[in-house]
Amino acid sequence: MTAYFVTGTDTDAGKTLVASGLLALARRHGRTTLGLKPVASGCDSTSRGLCNIDALTLQAQSEPATAYTTINPYAYEPAIAPHLAARRAGEIPTLDDLVAVTAAPLAEKHGMTLIEGAGGWRVPLNDTEDLAGLAVRLGLPVVLVVGLKLGCLNHARLTAEAIRADGLPLAGWVGNLIEPGLSFDATADEACYRNNLATLERSLDAPCLGIVPRLTADTPDARARAAADYLTLPGDE
């Protein structure tokens, strides 16, 4: 089994896009796959109960097919911090709870398993625990998704420092272009773009698993398959 925890430099850095892209790439290589998002806020009410679009995207790239409640056991409707959304629902999930619900899926030993966090590395799970603690408890190497925008150099370096301070290896990082502009737009300023990437490579001291540009695909499945074209699987770089 190859399992990783996927985190980001911030909310909307592109964790789900990259995680689903890595799963799609693993499937191309003939591997079984599983994408988990144990805690998700911003869920929609459906005939199947509360469902989160990010979790559904990971479910679509999981092979063999896996039940939604396995992918996302803690689902909350408000699009707010997960610990606040859980509190509104009258729940207080703990790291013990998350370890328990991920134990069986991890035991299935898929060719690639990704556990996607929520928000950034230090997002609270409850009043005393962070969601990052799940990666620590499971001893998972981390893939860091860097939302390429002005200010991301600081965010990326601080997040990498926090990951290593928690005793986990940084398996690699992926840059995801979320704000095209001079700093990270190769077509506008090639030298600045290359210098920014070189700064990330040097300061993060971990393999770059790919740089995902702005994608034109308009469905989650198509975006996952498109992202896969720009990615390398951890350990294969």
Side-chain angles (χ1 to χ4, degrees), residues 98-113:
L98 299 193
V99 169
V101 296
T102 55
L106 286 173
E108 294 176 1
K109 301 185 184 303
H110 291 275
M112 167 154 292
T113 299

Side-chain angles (χ1 to χ4, degrees), residues 74-100:
Y74 290 92
Y76 304 107
E77 188 169 5
I80 57 179
H83 73 297
L84 300 180
R87 187 179 300 169
R88 285 192 184 182
E91 296 182 358
I92 305 178
T94 67
L95 288 178
D96 285 342
D97 295 329
L98 299 193
V99 169

Side-chain angles (χ1 to χ4, degrees), residues 121-122 132 136 142 157-170:
W121 184 249
R122 287 283 180 240
V136 175
V142 180
R157 295 177 70 184
L158 287 175
T159 303
E161 288 173 9
I163 290 167
R164 292 188 169 112
D166 284 343
L168 294 176
L170 185 59

Side-chain angles (χ1 to χ4, degrees), residues 48-188:
R48 296 183 292 167
L50 290 174
C51 290
N52 175 266
I53 184 59
D54 293 345
L56 289 170
T57 300
L58 298 179
Q59 183 186 30
Q61 297 303 326
S62 297
E63 179 64 37
T66 303
Y68 181 85
T69 52
T70 298
I71 303 289
N72 175 214
Y74 290 92
Y76 304 107
E77 188 169 5
I80 57 179
H83 73 297
L84 300 180
R87 187 179 300 169
R88 285 192 184 182
E91 296 182 358
I92 305 178
T94 67
L95 288 178
D96 285 342
D97 295 329
L98 299 193
V99 169
V101 296
T102 55
L106 286 173
E108 294 176 1
K109 301 185 184 303
H110 291 275
M112 167 154 292
T113 299
L114 299 179
I115 299 181
E116 182 186 323
W121 184 249
R122 287 283 180 240
V123 68
L125 175 62
N126 51 50
D127 287 345
T128 60
E129 297 175 316
D130 293 341
L131 188 53
L134 178 61
V136 175
R137 290 278 294 271
L138 297 176
L140 297 178
V142 180
V143 172
L144 172 61
V145 179
V146 180
L148 298 179
K149 64 177 184 177
L150 188 64
C152 73
L153 300 180
N154 176 64
H155 294 164
R157 295 177 70 184
L158 287 175
T159 303
E161 288 173 9
I163 290 167
R164 292 188 169 112
D166 284 343
L168 294 176
L170 185 59
W173 63 276
V174 175
N176 178 48
L177 183 60
I178 55 177
E179 287 185 7
L182 292 180
S183 292
F184 285 99
D185 189 343
T187 62

